Amino acid sequence: MNKPKITVIGSINLDMVTSTDHVPVQGETLMGQNFEMIPGGKGANQAVAAARLGADVNMIGRVGDDLFGQLLLDNLVKNGVNNDGVKPVTDCHSGIATIIVSDHDNRIIVTPGANEWVTPQYVERFLPMLLQSDYVILQLEIPLETIEYVTGYCYENEIKVILNPAPIQPLPEVIQEQVTYLTPNESEVKGVQASPDQLIVTLGKEGVKYYDEGKAQIVKGYRVEAVDTTGAGDTFNGALAVGLAQGWSIKQAIQFANAAGALSVQTFGAQDGMPTLEEVKRFLQVRERFE
Ligand code: RIB
């Protein structure tokens, strides 16, 4: 396969994950079952997902000058992601996600820290990376003005962009017009007004909806036993970019991304379960034989 070139501009977090058998209500203290600190952040997760699937990936983002900054930088390299576009911010903490995992699902609070410093002026230093990319992937854990700047630049330079509008917030019209694809989930799609042909909507177990010349199409998902869904959407987005960057049809790219997402939920932590290209191919071969 051609090695797709992907640049991810987005958040890099340390996920502080507590597992519990039920979620505390206001004023309640309860004992958790397990605690882990795991590299995460929607941007970094999407970069790692695409790199594991064989893409050439640049990450543009920021970490803090705290204990976690170097760990997060090293983690990108360990996963084959070029971190030349990731510089520490002085006197600032790294992005932190406080995550509660309960009943195989999660609740997340993100405190952005250094991610707030992924400004248009910062990204400007790395524009040559964008010019060499088949796809640029964005999410909404960095300032919205940066999203607007990047989508405008990519539009002018005919660089394709996937915007994963998570966590959802009101999106200026110009951003929605200039991106190639938006990938909201069922609830995020309510805040999106893009044209149907730009939409790839993840519907959880029901699969993924996209539009072919205005007509809705569903690509079914794969049913698997979920251990932890954290990062499943990020795996989907990274894999989708890998498929589209190779010139596959939207349907083929979604099938591939669905398989990658299904594999990712079978392991604890956002990045740990992200599959390699070989693992996705094997999964698809077995599923095609038996379904
Ligand atoms: O999408 C999952 C990610 O959201 C976590 O890794 C966490 O860091 C938050 O950004």
Side-chain angles (χ1 to χ4, degrees):
M1 86 173 188
N2 294 334
K3 230 178 176 203
K5 289 193 182 348
I6 291 169
T7 297
V8 180
I9 306 174
S11 57
I12 304 170
N13 296 334
L14 189 79
D15 292 354
M16 306 261 186
V17 191
T18 300
S19 306
T20 166
D21 56 14
H22 78 270
V23 180
V25 295
Q26 194 169 359
E28 181 185 7
T29 300
L30 57 81
M31 305 301 279
Q33 265 78 52
N34 187 45
F35 173 74
E36 286 189 46
M37 293 198 286
I38 313 171
K42 293 188 194 304
N45 292 345
Q46 294 176 14
V48 169
R52 291 233 181 121
L53 294 168
D56 208 334
V57 184
N58 289 314
M59 176 83 211
I60 300 176
R62 307 214 69 176
V63 293
D65 63 353
D66 54 6
L67 282 177
F68 308 132
Q70 193 58 46
L71 182 153
L72 294 169
L73 281 164
D74 293 347
N75 176 65
L76 290 169
V77 174
K78 192 182 94 191
N79 283 286
V81 175
N82 175 14
N83 70 5
D84 291 351
V86 183
K87 306 290 177 207
V89 183
T90 312
D91 290 334
C92 189
H93 70 79
S94 297
I96 298 293
T98 305
I99 304 185
I100 297 177
V101 174
S102 187
D103 197 17
H104 310 299
D105 219 333
N106 60 49
R107 286 165 172 79
I108 305 181
I109 300 172
V110 175
T111 315
N115 295 307
E116 300 258 46
W117 293 94
V118 186
T119 58
Q121 296 72 22
Y122 177 74
V123 173
E124 205 179 357
R125 291 157 60 179
F126 306 104
L127 291 179
M129 286 182 185
L130 273 61
L131 289 173
Q132 288 159 15
S133 305
D134 299 313
Y135 264 88
V136 168
I137 319 181
L138 299 164
Q139 329 71 34
L140 298 178
E141 289 182 338
I142 57 171
L144 199 56
E145 57 169 338
T146 307
I147 305 293
E148 191 162 340
Y149 170 73
V150 173
T151 50
Y153 179 82
C154 289
Y155 187 75
E156 275 165 28
N157 290 281
E158 299 184 3
I159 304 162
K160 297 195 170 98
V161 174
I162 294 174
L163 171 59
N164 174 219
I168 193 66
Q169 54 179 290
L171 276 180
E173 246 173 61
V174 64
I175 293 181
Q176 306 199 43
E177 282 163 13
Q178 290 179 335
V179 298
T180 317
Y181 293 111
L182 279 140
T183 56
N185 63 21
E186 278 172 289
S187 72
E188 290 157 356
V189 75
K190 293 173 197 142
V192 167
Q193 289 95 37
S195 109
D197 285 355
Q198 290 170 287
L199 285 179
I200 295 176
V201 186
T202 53
L203 306 171
K205 287 181 186 136
E206 302 315 314
V208 173
K209 180 159 72 174
Y210 73 100
Y211 293 83
D212 187 4
E213 293 178 1
K215 210 168 152 222
Q217 311 283 340
I218 298 280
V219 182
K220 279 202 192 146
Y222 298 99
R223 298 212 176 239
V224 292
E225 204 62 46
V227 173
D228 178 12
T229 56
T230 313
D234 300 330
T235 309
F236 177 88
N237 278 279
L240 181 74
V242 171
L244 292 171
Q246 289 176 92
W248 296 352
S249 68
I250 302 190
K251 186 177 174 187
Q252 280 175 317
I254 292 174
Q255 275 164 341
F256 177 74
N258 274 347
L263 283 164
S264 77
V265 300
Q266 295 177 55
T267 309
F268 188 81
Q271 293 176 16
D272 279 357
M274 288 178 177
T276 61
L277 185 58
E278 282 315 308
E279 286 167 338
V280 176
K281 281 186 183 162
R282 219 174 307 133
F283 177 87
L284 284 169
Q285 273 166 6
V286 172
R287 289 292 167 137
E288 269 158 29
R289 230 179 289 145
F290 294 105
E291 285 184 1

